[in-house]
Amino acid sequence: DYSWRPGQDLFARVTAGYLEQMFGGISAELLWFPVGSNLALGAELNYARQRDFDVQFGFQDYDVMTGHASVYYKTRGDYHVQVDMGRYLAGDWGTTVTVDREFNNGFKVGAFATLTDASYEEFGEGSFDKGIRVEVPVAWLTGKPSRRSITQVIRPVLRDGGARLNVQTRLYDKVRESRGRALAAQWGRYAR
């Protein structure tokens, strides 16, 4: 995993290896996020190959190029809206809309919905993905400083359509944490 700044308001990342539990490959991302702005734009391109089901070092015959163009916007009341448009792991094309509410103590609660062109005949209910996400900071549970968090995603149906590669090192959340407004809003976490 390698991150750098190619320009004043630009951030870039390249990740190679096992990208998630079931896929390995290479992932590249570019994020435009000006200082003081509530708007950020991103683009991500991935080449992913499915790992063997025993999750050791082998790979299956399935590989796919995926990618998304993303718009991130922070509204009043600490709501974060994200819209991703692109190609998913099953080769389907579509859009995901995510809305998260982030509290000053680090808790996040959100929901997402994905609609793709995956056919009902091929994937059943899988062309439409939806879910709820809850994130709890580890520091709140242990009382000790930590940047880690526990995330739980609840999906009523899990299918191939609308599935996105789960790269843990995406740039928006990492860059957003280091911005001046975000640091000021989180000051309550440190002044206990």
Side-chain angles (χ1 to χ4, degrees):
D1 191 45
Y2 181 71
S3 300
W4 74 99
R5 291 186 69 176
Q8 181 178 353
D9 295 325
L10 290 175
F11 302 86
R13 170 192 57 81
V14 174
T15 304
Y18 294 130
L19 302 174
E20 65 165 63
Q21 184 176 357
M22 289 308 299
F23 284 91
I26 188 164
S27 174
E29 181 182 11
L30 184 65
L31 177 71
W32 175 76
F33 195 174
V35 173
S37 175
N38 290 333
L39 176 71
L41 303 174
E44 180 180 318
L45 185 63
N46 308 297
Y47 169 75
R49 188 169 179 116
Q50 190 174 26
R51 295 176 65 188
D52 276 338
F53 296 124
D54 61 7
V55 194
Q56 291 187 12
F57 294 109
F59 286 93
Q60 300 285 327
D61 289 335
Y62 183 76
D63 63 339
V64 64
M65 288 290 292
T66 70
H68 288 83
S70 301
V71 177
Y72 307 91
Y73 188 73
K74 181 190 176 299
T75 67
R76 292 184 184 192
D78 291 326
Y79 286 93
H80 297 270
V81 179
Q82 179 178 341
V83 179
D84 301 303
M85 300 155 285
R87 189 170 192 218
Y88 295 84
L89 284 171
D92 49 335
W93 294 85
T95 302
T96 301
V97 177
T98 305
V99 178
D100 287 322
R101 169 73 160 100
E102 184 174 0
F103 298 92
N104 284 340
N105 59 5
F107 281 82
K108 291 182 188 177
V109 177
F112 62 91
T114 301
L115 186 60
T116 72
D117 63 356
S119 69
Y120 185 83
E121 293 78 24
E122 193 173 7
F123 291 113
E125 291 182 55
S127 65
F128 181 71
D129 187 23
K130 59 189 172 290
I132 297 170
R133 180 176 51 221
V134 177
E135 188 172 315
V136 178
V138 170
W140 186 83
L141 296 170
T142 64
K144 296 179 181 178
S146 175
R147 297 179 57 88
R148 297 183 58 208
S149 60
I150 299 170
T151 303
Q152 180 63 48
V153 177
I154 303 166
R155 285 184 164 101
V157 176
L158 185 60
R159 303 284 179 147
D160 290 336
R164 187 171 178 189
L165 198 60
N166 188 20
V167 178
Q168 296 294 318
T169 56
R170 289 201 169 102
L171 291 172
Y172 178 71
D173 284 329
K174 294 185 180 306
V175 172
R176 184 174 61 85
E177 289 177 1
S178 65
R179 295 302 198 190
R181 285 185 196 172
L183 285 174
Q186 296 172 11
W187 186 248
R189 292 188 204 178
Y190 307 107
R192 296 191 230 196

